[in-house]
Amino acid sequence: MAEDISFIGLDVHKATIAVAVADEGRHGEVRFLGEVQNDSAALDRLVAKLVKGGRSLRFCYEAGPCGYGVHRQLSARGHDCIVVAPSQIPRKPGDRVKTDRRDAVMLASLHRAGQLTPVWVPDTSHEAMRDLVRARAAAVASGKAARQQLLGFLLRHGRRFEGRPWSRTHRAWLAGQRFGHPAGQIVLQDHIDTVDAAAERVARLTRQIEAQVAEWSLAPLVIALQAMRGVALIVAVILVAELGDLSRFASPAQLMAYVGLVPSERSSGPKTRRGGITKTSNGEVRKTLVEAAWTYRRPARISELKQRSVDAAQKAAREIAWKAQVRLCARYRRLAAGKPVQVVVTAIAREMLGFIWAIGREVHPIPA
């Protein structure tokens, strides 16, 4: 006997959850059930109400600021639940009305039609590591903003340093700046203290990442990725924290498309038009890869400092990393002869993902 299935769309907010139900069958009416409180007790009552009659429940909701709590609670109760990528939800171009009710109904209908793209949901330990990595990224961004504010303040007052900024000489120059009015000196010192506090925050979070990564289930992948040129500990942790277990990607092309490093395309009939990269998914991963790709502009070699990271990786990872270095260094020189350097670096970053995927497959083989 066929199983009766109900597809439930949830529009999740901080205080409430809008609920809509689409029963199995593509032409059935989608029913809006109203709103419930966004807490575990109210969600359990909703599930108990919907499960009456022995129907199988399949939930979905958009990824957003409320996290994965709803997914984990429903999954723990034995119900199927997916978290949907908002950028991949099909939308009508002419639709200009957006309400919680319409969003819930739309999600239920699309879930029934099989047109939703789920995101990967990390476990709690992986999410904790990702939060730590993102906290460090926020600290780095705050430090850059603080330094820019300090330099902007000095520039407004005609103070220019001719040399490398933030070197010891520059810091000594900053300490020697004097303003005629006490308020100006107070502002200068406050900017300097803000820059120092941001730097200390970054250093503190970096130490915490180094301490926590040893206990992480994906630590072997972090170690293996450091065999690649341009990938040190923090870069490897960022990539693994944001991408997760690489064995969930069936091919390098799938991983490249996921990260958004493949060319966009608008083709019609015999005409093919390709543009810049799609920039889907995680921007931090793309930025990290592009920064790492710059290291391939030099000839292939392994420095004494890098050798320690290479020796720590397993043999298969070392072989893939060296193969990547030889290929990508040669490719950089070949492409740099006729293309803008940013295009070349982006192409190198895209190919790096292929080798990163290969290392991930060696550390965590793809299930048959």
Side-chain angles (χ1 to χ4, degrees):
M1 183 176 179
E3 183 181 31
D4 291 330
I5 301 174
S6 291
F7 298 87
I8 297 94
L10 306 176
D11 191 39
V12 180
H13 296 278
K14 179 176 69 173
T16 61
I17 301 175
V19 184
V21 179
D23 292 325
E24 194 173 23
R26 294 189 179 276
H27 303 293
E29 180 183 358
V30 180
R31 295 173 286 124
F32 179 68
L33 300 185
E35 294 183 345
V36 299
Q37 293 297 310
N38 187 358
D39 60 59
S40 58
L43 196 57
D44 281 340
R45 289 194 296 270
L46 172 66
V47 171
K49 176 182 177 181
L50 292 172
V51 81
K52 289 180 180 178
R55 300 188 70 86
S56 175
L57 306 181
R58 297 185 181 178
F59 294 87
C60 70
Y61 67 96
E62 290 185 56
C66 293
Y68 304 111
V70 172
H71 173 276
R72 289 176 179 139
Q73 180 176 345
L74 293 173
S75 298
R77 304 295 190 272
H79 300 290
D80 182 80
C81 180
I82 63 171
V83 183
V84 182
S87 61
Q88 300 295 319
I89 296 176
R91 301 184 189 276
K92 298 177 181 178
D95 193 353
R96 295 293 185 270
V97 179
K98 185 183 186 303
T99 64
D100 294 349
R101 174 176 182 151
R102 290 170 70 95
D103 285 349
V105 168
M106 175 191 64
L107 286 171
S109 178
L110 292 174
H111 192 23
R112 179 174 62 184
Q115 296 182 1
L116 295 177
T117 303
V119 301
W120 176 68
V121 178
D123 58 30
T124 53
S125 63
H126 188 106
E127 186 177 20
M129 279 298 299
R130 189 161 69 181
D131 287 341
L132 183 58
V133 167
R134 290 180 177 180
R136 182 186 178 279
V140 170
S142 297
K144 289 180 179 178
R147 291 194 294 271
Q148 183 59 42
Q149 289 170 3
L150 171 56
L151 295 178
F153 168 74
L154 293 170
L155 183 60
R156 287 196 303 273
H157 292 276
R159 313 293 178 93
R160 298 178 179 85
F161 177 74
E162 302 298 335
R164 187 164 64 89
W166 312 114
S167 60
R168 288 186 179 182
T169 306
H170 184 217
R171 294 305 298 256
W173 178 82
L174 287 174
Q177 295 302 299
R178 296 292 180 266
F179 288 83
H181 196 284
Q185 204 66 40
I186 290 171
V187 172
L188 172 63
Q189 191 58 50
D190 182 72
H191 279 307
I192 293 175
D193 291 343
T194 302
V195 170
D196 292 341
E200 174 53 33
R201 182 187 174 199
V202 172
R204 184 170 62 250
L205 289 170
T206 300
R207 291 192 296 269
Q208 290 298 326
I209 290 173
E210 293 170 348
Q212 295 294 326
V213 73
E215 305 299 325
W216 193 14
S217 61
L218 292 178
L221 181 56
V222 172
I223 294 172
L225 289 182
Q226 291 180 70
M228 289 197 65
R229 185 173 189 166
V231 181
L233 174 64
I234 295 302
V235 173
V237 172
I238 290 173
L239 294 176
V240 176
E242 297 294 349
L243 295 176
D245 187 355
L246 299 180
S247 65
R248 64 194 177 94
F249 298 100
S251 67
Q254 189 181 46
L255 176 57
M256 294 171 189
Y258 175 81
V259 174
L261 281 172
V262 296
S264 58
E265 182 174 341
R266 293 182 64 88
S267 299
S268 179
K271 295 183 179 178
T272 300
R273 299 183 180 90
R274 290 189 176 86
I277 58 174
T278 59
K279 295 186 179 180
T280 59
S281 188
N282 193 291
E284 187 67 21
V285 172
R286 286 194 303 277
K287 184 182 76 171
T288 301
L289 283 168
V290 169
E291 290 176 351
W294 281 99
T295 62
Y296 291 90
R297 67 188 186 276
R298 305 296 183 191
R301 63 181 292 269
I302 299 177
S303 66
E304 182 179 353
L305 181 62
K306 184 65 177 178
Q307 187 66 53
R308 284 180 284 180
S309 298
V310 173
D311 291 340
Q314 57 182 258
K315 181 180 178 181
R318 295 198 302 267
E319 292 174 350
I320 293 171
W322 178 247
K323 180 181 178 181
Q325 186 170 169
V326 171
R327 173 181 168 81
L328 296 182
C329 288
R331 183 164 173 77
Y332 184 97
R333 292 193 300 273
R334 186 167 63 252
L335 292 177
K339 293 183 179 295
V341 65
Q342 192 59 48
V343 173
V344 175
V345 171
T346 303
I348 297 299
R350 180 169 57 248
E351 289 206 30
M352 280 183 68
L353 272 174
F355 291 102
I356 288 171
W357 177 86
I359 291 176
R361 185 176 62 175
E362 292 294 334
V363 177
H364 298 288
I366 297 176

